[in-house]
Amino acid sequence: MTIDSLPVGPTSATVEVAGARPQLDYYLVGVSDSDTTVEGLLVEEFTRDRDFVTTGLDSAGWTPQAGWWSSASLSRDIRTSPELLARVVPTSRRQAETVHRALGGGQLPDETLLRTHFLDHQPIASAPPLRLGPAQPPASFHERRVYRVLFAKDLRPEQVAALRTAWRTPAAGTSASPGTSASAGTSASVASGRLDGHGDQFSWDLRRVGHTLAWGLDVTALLATDATAALGSTLSALTDVLRQHGLIPVTTERFS
């Protein structure tokens, strides 16, 4: 599923389920607001359990001088060091191919080969789902799930405005997902969206969390069908939308 194939409005739509393995995440390293010099590439892939909760992170970095190396420490540090975070920019595979060629690396290996460079796995601890919101789903739904995808880096006001437009956030305010109201260390939603498909409902809210130190995307799924594949594709597509707007995903948690 791509940003273009994800229905973003409150109308009925069919969720496209990706049959292939999700694409890797690509980053340019060495870029900042004042310096456009690219030093290398970082390629990542999260590992997840059957409930789509993050369990680990695989990654590999590349520079013209050193070639490919496994870089769990780099992936960890870009999410905790403000200085390093400022020098890493999410990008597409197409742009990564252009940069790899321009820096003398030739053709960027395909993703099957890139995964062979994932030698230093970074485990990410997970816990049983917390209960956020009502235990029982509304009538006509058999299950209610709530997820939070955490992101590092920041969004500019115009990027938030672009998300509100793309997701058709109501002009008078956001349509907060049930059970995801602001709590301690969590601010009000700044952009929201909804997707209905085959009787299932997906809604999401983007807000600052952790006393404005990060961004959180809260996703509520009300399931009337066996839509776990559609749920995984929706979480993946929404995460990729925010990557394309400059945020760096950290982890996906399940609250219920």
Side-chain angles (χ1 to χ4, degrees):
M1 180 186 292
T2 68
I3 185 173
D4 297 322
S5 65
L6 175 68
V8 293
T11 57
S12 178
T14 301
V15 177
E16 178 184 337
V17 178
R21 191 171 183 177
Q23 284 194 336
L24 301 177
D25 294 337
Y26 297 86
Y27 298 90
L28 305 180
V29 180
V31 181
S32 68
D33 292 339
S34 59
D35 181 8
T36 58
T37 302
V38 180
E39 298 174 2
L41 299 173
L42 178 65
V43 183
E44 294 184 338
E45 182 174 45
F46 285 102
T47 56
R48 308 179 190 279
D49 64 16
R50 60 183 298 173
D51 288 332
F52 313 112
V53 173
T54 301
T55 59
L57 180 60
D58 290 307
S59 59
W62 176 86
T63 61
Q65 298 79 18
W68 290 99
W69 78 94
S70 195
S71 57
S73 61
L74 176 59
S75 290
R76 182 175 60 248
D77 291 346
I78 67 172
R79 290 163 170 85
T80 57
S81 167
E83 293 79 13
L84 187 56
L85 181 63
R87 301 181 66 247
V88 176
V89 176
T91 192
S92 64
R93 177 174 171 90
R94 178 175 297 180
Q95 181 63 23
E97 290 172 337
T98 300
V99 169
H100 189 260
R101 188 176 299 109
L103 292 178
Q107 183 175 352
L108 183 67
D110 64 31
E111 297 199 334
T112 299
L113 183 55
L114 286 175
R115 288 185 174 94
T116 66
H117 297 293
F118 294 163
L119 305 177
D120 189 13
H121 181 71
Q122 175 66 47
I124 298 176
S126 61
L130 302 173
R131 179 61 60 187
L132 183 64
Q136 297 300 320
S140 76
F141 297 99
H142 68 80
E143 186 177 6
R144 176 182 180 276
R145 295 191 186 189
V146 178
Y147 290 87
R148 171 168 287 174
V149 187
L150 288 174
F151 295 88
K153 223 169 171 68
D154 204 358
L155 289 171
R156 299 187 301 274
E158 62 269 23
Q159 291 173 312
V160 173
L163 286 168
R164 288 176 62 89
T165 298
W167 290 346
R168 303 177 191 174
T169 302
T174 63
S175 55
S177 301
T180 56
S181 57
S183 58
T186 301
S187 64
S189 173
V190 300
S192 65
R194 177 176 166 177
L195 167 65
D196 297 338
H198 295 296
D200 303 308
Q201 293 182 8
F202 303 96
S203 56
W204 55 90
D205 296 271
L206 178 67
R207 51 171 55 93
R208 285 190 177 277
V209 297
H211 301 288
T212 74
L213 297 178
W215 287 91
L217 181 73
D218 293 334
V219 182
T220 298
L222 299 177
L223 304 179
T225 67
D226 183 16
T228 52
L231 172 58
S233 295
T234 299
L235 286 169
S236 177
L238 288 169
T239 301
D240 194 54
V241 166
L242 292 178
R243 278 192 73 257
Q244 293 182 36
H245 282 75
L247 295 183
I248 296 178
V250 176
T251 189
T252 300
E253 304 168 319
R254 184 179 171 188
F255 287 158
S256 67

